[in-house]
Amino acid sequence: MSSSPTFSSFVTIFMFLFFLNLPFFNSQLPIKATIRRAPRQLSVNYYAKSCPQVESLVGSVTSNMFKEAPASGPATIRLFFHDCFVEGCDGSILISSKAGSKELAEKDAEDNKDIAKEAFEGINKAKAIVESKCPGVVSCADILAIATRNFVHLVGGPYYEVKKGRWDGKLSKASRVHHNLPQSNSTVDQLLKLFSSKGLTSEDLVVLSGAHTIGFAHCKQFVNRIYNYKGTKKPDPYMDPRLFKALKMSCPQYGGNVDIVAPFDVTTPFSFDNAYYGNLEAKLGLLASDQALSLDQRTKPLVQELAKDKHKFFQAFADAMEKMGGIGVKRGRKHGEFRKDCTMHHV
């Protein structure tokens, strides 16, 4: 998921859709998913006595943000992924770099620079409202987890209960970001190794990649697929010619508009559904790392299953989001804190 699309970006998106001649509206109602797993240490009712209104407080902010800046939805989901994969789900991505410091915070790492600012602003707004009602009680990490679930549901995805009880992390270093995140050209081997290091399976990899049913990527993330796939100086053979032509029109090999974005899901870019998987089967995946999932025998069968069954995808996605939300949870003052301001460590 990428930064806030500009007007010219939206023109480009609709050019894609017109050129590909594919439908892009989905009127199906969201499906409610039931969570089965319960990560250790976390509880749905963690704030039942200390801040019982936390969900509604965060919900008021996310609803308004989604109306005012729809890009805040996919951006916040991406923010949560990037937080959990680096140092665990501890809100460390929300910390601002200290002026004059030699070590930048996670937020300013290259991989995080194009996350829309609305995502950070939304979490800060939610934190301020929660602090006004329940001072010093709710962690930024939990607010991010709740906001992410809200946005998944607001864009048409499953609703699931959020387990809470994370403390905020004390460490935030940009140098730890790149090697802990999937890259747009990652191979399935690299992706499986990375996900395994986080306690996630090949199934989790395929299911969580389905978050690319919404959101956008900049040209730099897929330009090599168009012009120089794996050093061949030719396009990726696993790309539908219609997609190749549309991308080539928008993303020149050199000197293009850096603000131009393309939707991860070229058929239903504004709807959270399972069309992403059907796109992969049709060679309409935007990133090489996405398209690879439909080509590798370890991941292809699940891609095919999820392409056929939206309900199964929603249930699996809800389960996988809870599982990912339990990565590297901090508890206790040795490793954690409760920040009053999500951008600064607690003093």
Side-chain angles (χ1 to χ4, degrees), residues 27-244:
S27 60
Q28 285 183 287
L29 293 172
I31 298 169
K32 181 161 181 168
T34 307
I35 293 295
R36 298 188 188 91
R37 298 188 193 92
R40 209 177 54 214
Q41 303 176 316
L42 303 180
S43 163
V44 170
N45 300 315
Y46 188 80
Y47 298 111
K49 292 182 180 178
S50 58
C51 191
Q53 68 272 50
V54 61
E55 297 256 357
S56 60
L57 292 172
V58 177
S60 66
V61 174
T62 49
S63 294
N64 286 335
M65 286 293 294
F66 189 63
K67 288 173 192 168
E68 294 169 10
S72 59
T76 303
I77 297 167
R78 185 180 180 210
L79 191 65
F80 185 57
F81 272 65
H82 284 213
D83 184 44
C84 291
F85 267 66
V86 183
E87 302 298 334
C89 308
D90 64 355
S92 52
I93 196 171
L94 304 169
I95 291 284
S96 294
S97 299
K98 286 184 181 177
S101 173
K102 291 181 181 178
E103 176 73 76
L104 294 174
E106 285 176 35
K107 179 181 179 180
D108 293 317
E110 195 62 38
D111 294 76
N112 292 329
K113 279 184 177 177
D114 63 354
I115 297 178
K117 68 181 188 304
E118 289 87 354
F120 294 96
E121 290 170 357
I123 302 304
N124 292 334
K125 283 180 185 177
K127 175 62 172 175
I129 287 178
V130 171
E131 280 295 307
S132 72
K133 303 291 184 183
C134 314
V137 172
V138 182
S139 67
C140 298
D142 278 342
I143 288 173
L144 176 55
I146 296 167
T148 298
R149 183 279 314 278
N150 292 352
F151 280 121
V152 167
H153 191 53
L154 284 166
V155 295
Y159 181 89
Y160 53 92
E161 296 284 2
V162 175
K163 304 289 191 292
K164 297 169 281 286
R166 303 164 186 82
W167 286 42
D168 295 324
K170 292 182 173 182
L171 193 68
S172 182
K173 293 187 175 183
S175 59
R176 301 197 177 207
V177 171
H178 185 75
H179 64 278
N180 275 303
L181 291 179
Q183 302 300 314
S184 58
N185 61 349
S186 292
T187 64
V188 173
D189 277 336
Q190 291 168 331
L191 291 170
L192 289 172
K193 186 177 179 183
L194 176 61
F195 273 64
S196 178
S197 74
K198 311 298 176 188
L200 300 173
T201 65
S202 59
E203 289 79 10
D204 296 323
L205 163 62
V206 175
V207 170
L208 290 171
S209 294
H212 282 175
T213 179
I214 53 169
F216 310 88
H218 287 90
C219 292
K220 66 182 179 182
Q221 293 179 285
F222 52 82
V223 69
N224 281 349
R225 289 193 74 201
I226 310 171
Y227 301 102
N228 190 23
Y229 181 64
K230 293 186 176 180
T232 60
K233 296 187 178 178
K234 293 179 181 178
D236 185 343
Y238 297 106
M239 183 187 290
D240 183 282
R242 296 170 297 166
L243 179 60
F244 165 71

Side-chain angles (χ1 to χ4, degrees), residues 20 22 225 238-244 263-267 275-276 278-287 290-291 294:
L20 291 167
L22 295 164
R225 289 193 74 201
Y238 297 106
M239 183 187 290
D240 183 282
R242 296 170 297 166
L243 179 60
F244 165 71
F264 287 119
D265 175 351
V266 297
T267 55
Y276 163 84
N279 293 344
L280 299 187
E281 290 184 304
K283 296 184 179 179
L284 290 169
L286 183 65
L287 305 183
D290 285 332
Q291 193 60 59
S294 70

Side-chain angles (χ1 to χ4, degrees), residues 293-306:
L293 298 176
S294 70
L295 303 172
D296 191 290
Q297 290 306 313
R298 293 167 293 183
T299 50
K300 182 179 179 180
L302 187 53
V303 168
Q304 294 172 325
E305 275 185 58
L306 297 178

